[in-house]
């Protein structure tokens, strides 16, 4: 009966599986909401099953996201890096500067391309990809002119990716 209703001081429970989520609010509220979602996922799901990739402004790294680098869900275990980087324990799914953009987004694009090929080979068979990636986009500057954009116009859940967009206004969210 009540299609829309405003709830104050109430939690909302929902499954993120197969979803693209759009969060709207002021920058501080968005950060708290996104960090709360990611923290809940990290408590409820193993780092072997779920990995995080988060894009945000460089200025926010030091004061608001730096401690997140230690969360095991941010370690890029399933990415293929060059031989010189393969044994590095410093590569995390945290994109906040040009170097992290290149490393993480290029490797993530390779994962998505491989998963797309697997889906095409499987044809009608459903594939459950692991790990599931939570791809959170607070700052989309890092996506500019990157080939990963070809995937963002598709249904990313097919590739085992849940996308979370964080914007100040509804009009800033993409159509997907």
């Amino acid at each position: 009966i009540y299609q829309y209703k405003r709830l104050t001081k109430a939690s909302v429970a929902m499954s993120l599986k197969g979803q693209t989520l759009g969060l709207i609010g002021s920058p501080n509220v968005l950060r708290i909401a996104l960090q709360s979602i990611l923290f809940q996922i990290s408590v409820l799901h193993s780092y072997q099953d779920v990995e995080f990739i988060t894009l945000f402004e460089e200025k926010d790294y030091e004061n608001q996201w730096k401690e997140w680098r230690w969360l095991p869900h941010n370690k890029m275990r399933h990415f293929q890096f060059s031989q010189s980087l393969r044994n590095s324990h410093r590569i995390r799914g945290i994109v906040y500067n040009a170097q992290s953009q290149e490393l993480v987004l290029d490797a993530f694009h390779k994962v998505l391309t491989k998963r797309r090929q697997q889906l095409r080979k499987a044809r009608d068979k459903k594939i459950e990809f692991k790990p599931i990636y939570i791809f959170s986009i607070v700052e989309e500057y890092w996506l500019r002119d990157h080939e990963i954009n070809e995937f963002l116009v598709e249904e990313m859940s097919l590739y085992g990716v849940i996308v979370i967009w964080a914007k100040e206004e509804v009009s800033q969210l993409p159509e997907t």
Side-chain angles (χ1 to χ4, degrees), residues 54-59 61 92 94-105 139 141-142:
T54 310
L55 287 63
F56 49 85
E57 291 185 62
E58 187 168 4
K59 67 181 178 68
Y61 176 72
R92 308 282 187 213
I94 297 174
V95 177
Y96 64 96
N97 61 22
Q99 181 184 10
S100 61
Q101 173 200 27
E102 182 180 345
L103 286 173
V104 175
L105 292 184
E139 177 54 63
Y141 169 81
W142 305 116

Side-chain angles (χ1 to χ4, degrees), residues 42-116:
S42 69
V43 168
L44 298 172
H45 299 279
S46 167
Y47 61 87
Q48 295 173 342
D49 297 330
V50 178
E51 290 185 4
F52 299 154
I53 300 170
T54 310
L55 287 63
F56 49 85
E57 291 185 62
E58 187 168 4
K59 67 181 178 68
D60 294 336
Y61 176 72
E62 198 65 39
N63 296 324
Q64 300 168 342
W65 288 96
K66 189 174 183 177
E67 67 274 8
W68 285 78
R69 74 187 186 280
W70 302 117
L71 193 66
H73 296 73
N74 280 315
K75 190 171 181 186
M76 302 290 89
R77 287 172 184 74
H78 298 90
F79 282 27
Q80 292 183 2
F81 296 104
S82 66
Q83 187 66 35
S84 62
L85 296 172
R86 189 162 290 149
N87 294 324
S88 175
H89 299 290
R90 303 175 82 189
I91 300 175
R92 308 282 187 213
I94 297 174
V95 177
Y96 64 96
N97 61 22
Q99 181 184 10
S100 61
Q101 173 200 27
E102 182 180 345
L103 286 173
V104 175
L105 292 184
D106 288 353
F108 189 42
H109 183 265
K110 289 176 187 173
V111 168
L112 294 174
T113 301
K114 184 176 179 180
R115 288 182 175 191
R116 179 190 275 164

